[in-house]
Amino acid sequence: MTALMPISLLGLPYDLNSSYLLGTAEAPARIRAALRSDSCNLWTEDGIDVGQPDTICDLGDLKLPSDPEAASRAIEQGVAHALELGHPLISLGGDHSVTYPILLAFHAKYPDLTILHFDAHPDLYDNFADQRLSHASPFARIMEEHLARHLVQVGIRTLNQHQREQARRFGVEIITMRNLAKFAGLKLDGPLYISFDMDVLDPAFAPGISHYEPGGLTVREALTIIQSLRVPIVGADIVEFNPLRDRNGQTAMVAAKILKELLAAMLHAGTVPPTNWP
Ligand code: MN
Ligand code: MN
């Protein structure tokens, strides 16, 4: 295979905007360890060895202050700095509040982004527990500041009246869990940003999360969606993995698997993957 552009990896160990439980700050180190675990290899399902030198450019973890406003600014600056390398970037959260400052930095470079957001929750609260930066509100902030041209949410199964009104106000396209089949007919434009909240998955597959919402995606369904994408992907995050709730590292391995397949989708850069691989 010809040389591929490396993908940057950045850890965001921050969980102080969580509304219910702490623990997601431990996630970046656990996902890295699972990715490199001797229990598996580093090949993607369509035949890319992401263990090859210069495939992953790991920038380590950002050092983040505890104050939410200061942490948000540090994330925006750290992501902007990472994007100066010119590579696609995958951030490892952290709670879902990190996606707002990430998108502030992405918007400066990519003014025309589409966001594909995997989540059990729409995260569109105008104001949750009087925390503007709550992990329940990042997509309200992103849409009111026009940081994305189009927001598509998939796997949603907790929509309430307030968030339904917010979705209408911002023109959010929601593919709920019970209407998942509609994803196949969706037209997505690039450049694409993917925000993957681990609680989109059914808790049976990924118990290491803070908010259990039964009736979610299987791991296979999530991978199939990721593998079906045919647009350039410039950024992604994996958030809300809470190692304190995990069982035998099960969710860490799921997060690492999602990471591997996001890497594959990015490395294909919107082209059809090679067909000479089973
Ligand atoms: Mn979320
Ligand atoms: Mn969620």
Side-chain angles (χ1 to χ4, degrees):
M1 182 172 286
T2 51
L4 298 161
M5 174 183 281
I7 311 289
S8 299
L9 211 58
L10 181 66
L12 305 175
Y14 192 80
D15 59 10
L16 296 176
N17 286 319
S18 303
S19 57
Y20 181 58
L21 295 174
L22 298 180
T24 60
E26 314 288 323
R30 303 296 185 96
I31 298 172
R32 284 195 186 87
L35 183 70
R36 306 277 175 186
S37 164
D38 288 340
S39 76
C40 57
N41 66 39
L42 282 156
W43 287 67
T44 67
E45 290 193 354
D46 60 4
I48 301 173
D49 179 4
V50 300
Q52 285 289 308
D54 301 325
T55 303
I56 297 173
C57 173
D58 195 336
L59 305 173
D61 287 355
L62 286 186
K63 294 228 182 322
L64 296 170
S66 51
D67 173 70
E69 298 279 350
S72 184
R73 282 193 299 275
I75 291 168
E76 181 184 352
Q77 286 164 7
V79 169
H81 188 64
L83 289 177
E84 284 170 15
L85 293 171
H87 309 150
L89 172 70
I90 302 180
S91 307
L92 305 177
D95 67 44
H96 216 155
S97 70
V98 301
T99 303
Y100 168 49
I102 290 172
L103 261 292
L104 284 168
F106 265 85
H107 179 67
K109 181 164 180 170
Y110 303 102
D112 240 4
L113 276 179
T114 294
I115 300 176
L116 177 59
H117 167 206
F118 292 82
D119 208 322
H121 315 95
D123 292 351
L124 285 166
Y125 281 99
D126 179 53
N127 185 346
F128 195 88
D130 218 16
Q131 261 190 298
R132 193 178 160 273
L133 298 175
S134 166
H135 73 157
S137 299
F139 292 93
R141 301 293 86 81
I142 286 165
M143 296 312 281
E144 67 199 8
E145 296 187 28
H146 305 286
L147 303 183
R149 177 181 52 175
H150 187 198
L151 172 60
V152 178
Q153 302 185 319
V154 61
I156 304 296
R157 51 194 187 277
T158 58
L159 195 62
N160 60 12
Q161 188 59 29
H162 167 65
Q163 294 196 91
R164 188 167 179 224
E165 284 160 13
Q166 288 281 86
R168 280 205 186 115
R169 175 181 158 207
F170 296 128
V172 181
E173 191 162 355
I174 297 183
I175 296 174
T176 57
M177 200 61 222
R178 68 193 188 114
N179 287 313
L180 186 65
K182 289 185 179 172
F183 187 86
L186 195 71
K187 169 91 178 75
L188 284 173
D189 292 315
L192 188 69
Y193 183 92
I194 298 176
S195 187
F196 195 97
D197 182 326
M198 290 293 292
D199 68 33
V200 74
L201 300 168
D202 194 280
F205 299 92
I209 52 167
S210 299
H211 301 266
Y212 287 170
E213 191 62 42
L217 292 178
T218 65
V219 175
R220 190 72 255 162
E221 285 169 330
L223 296 176
T224 297
I225 290 174
I226 292 167
Q227 291 169 351
S228 76
L229 299 172
R230 296 289 180 269
V231 288
I233 304 164
V234 293
D237 60 60
I238 299 173
V239 296
E240 294 289 338
F241 164 38
N242 186 341
L244 305 185
R245 304 257 278 178
D246 205 2
R247 294 199 282 261
N248 297 326
Q250 178 186 349
T251 312
M253 294 308 294
V254 173
K257 178 79 173 179
I258 298 292
L259 171 58
K260 264 195 287 195
E261 294 303 314
L262 284 174
L263 285 163
M266 282 183 168
L267 289 164
H268 290 308
T271 60
V272 179
T275 53
N276 61 347
W277 195 261

